[in-house]
Amino acid sequence: MFMWLGLRSVREARLHAHVCGDGHLYVEVGRRGKRYIVEYTNSSLELINEFINDAIYEYNVSPIIIKHKEVFIARFKSRYAFHRLILLKAGKSKEWRAPLRIFLVADTAKAAELMKNWLRAFMDDEAHIDLSTGRVTITSVNYQGLLDIKDMLNYLGIKSKIYRILRGYAYKLVISKRENLCRLFSMITPLHPQKLMRSRKILLMCKALKG
């Protein structure tokens, strides 16, 4: 069966981002054969519920929620979704990618929406919004993955920089300067409650400066 190697919808963009951020793809082997598992872990029920709803509508699956200490785990079984997410370069911390080619459909407006939804979901998982320094940062051991994010941000007109930290073991993508932060949060609205609150404070600052 031919699989289109590009994101088909904003739902799939968010699913891909969450698997790259706080997700896990693995295979269980039992008496009845192999089970292909897609998991997503977060402390925010808002994000867990979004992941579940996206998975239901995009892949026609029946996810379950598991409570583990202070976090929730959304899990579903699907050989198709498992292989499709791998083909789209979702994977482990050092391996995931989000190359521009999976976003660039003929409709440029749709391409931008796919990127915005991917960035919003990934930032809900991995970004830190620091109001004291006026920066948004993403730390990762995956340099190529951060380059992909930088490319998306550039496409949307948002400038960022990547720095090597921890003696090269990890990297940090930084979005700074008022115009970049204002543009970022005019395009994406975090779902994570704490990040939503911080993004709104930045937007209020942007409106105050315009006024």
Side-chain angles (χ1 to χ4, degrees):
M1 179 175 58
F2 174 75
M3 286 188 178
W4 160 242
L5 293 185
L7 295 166
R8 295 176 302 199
S9 67
V10 295
R11 290 187 297 269
E12 190 168 54
R14 293 192 294 262
L15 289 164
H16 184 277
H18 283 314
V19 171
C20 292
D22 286 332
H24 192 196
L25 300 169
Y26 62 96
V27 178
E28 290 180 342
V29 180
R31 293 181 180 178
R32 297 183 180 180
K34 294 180 179 179
R35 292 185 293 272
Y36 296 83
I37 309 298
V38 180
E39 273 189 1
Y40 172 60
T41 303
N42 205 287
S43 60
S44 166
L45 262 180
E46 290 86 350
L47 291 169
I48 290 291
N49 287 331
E50 179 187 60
F51 181 87
I52 287 173
N53 289 331
D54 285 342
I56 290 170
Y57 285 104
E58 191 64 32
Y59 297 134
N60 192 28
V61 293
S62 301
I64 61 172
I65 299 179
I66 301 167
K67 182 73 165 67
H68 179 68
K69 296 181 180 179
E70 301 301 317
V71 300
F72 301 93
I73 302 169
R75 175 187 296 168
F76 65 87
K77 296 179 287 186
S78 170
R79 181 173 182 172
Y80 173 80
F82 178 94
H83 286 297
R84 178 157 175 79
L85 288 165
I86 286 179
L87 283 172
L88 289 167
K89 304 298 184 182
K92 297 178 182 179
S93 296
K94 291 185 178 181
E95 299 172 0
W96 65 264
R97 295 290 307 275
L100 280 182
R101 63 174 174 79
I102 69 173
F103 299 93
L104 295 180
V105 295
D107 184 342
T108 56
K110 181 179 178 180
E113 282 305 307
L114 290 171
M115 291 182 200
K116 291 174 189 177
N117 276 269
W118 193 99
L119 287 167
R120 197 236 77 204
F122 189 84
M123 288 184 169
D124 265 328
D125 293 340
E126 300 295 329
H128 175 62
I129 304 172
D130 191 331
L131 295 175
S132 63
T133 61
R135 302 193 310 173
V136 174
T137 60
I138 301 172
T139 301
S140 175
V141 295
N142 187 338
Y143 179 68
Q144 293 299 323
L146 289 182
L147 281 178
D148 291 338
I149 293 175
K150 183 177 173 65
D151 286 342
M152 273 188 270
L153 292 168
N154 283 339
Y155 185 93
L156 297 172
I158 301 166
K159 295 181 180 179
S160 61
K161 294 182 179 180
I162 298 175
Y163 300 93
R164 181 182 296 179
I165 61 173
L166 301 177
R167 297 182 179 180
Y169 176 75
Y171 304 87
K172 181 178 288 187
L173 181 143
V174 178
I175 305 169
S176 59
K177 295 188 178 180
R178 187 180 302 121
E179 60 269 25
N180 293 314
L181 294 173
C182 293
R183 185 169 179 81
L184 174 67
F185 291 118
S186 69
M187 289 183 171
I188 69 170
T189 302
L191 191 58
H192 190 288
Q194 292 180 350
K195 293 175 185 179
L196 174 61
M197 178 186 66
R198 292 175 183 175
S199 71
R200 284 176 172 170
K201 288 184 179 180
I202 290 175
L203 283 177
L204 285 173
M205 175 193 70
C206 296
K207 291 178 181 178
L209 290 170
K210 283 184 179 180

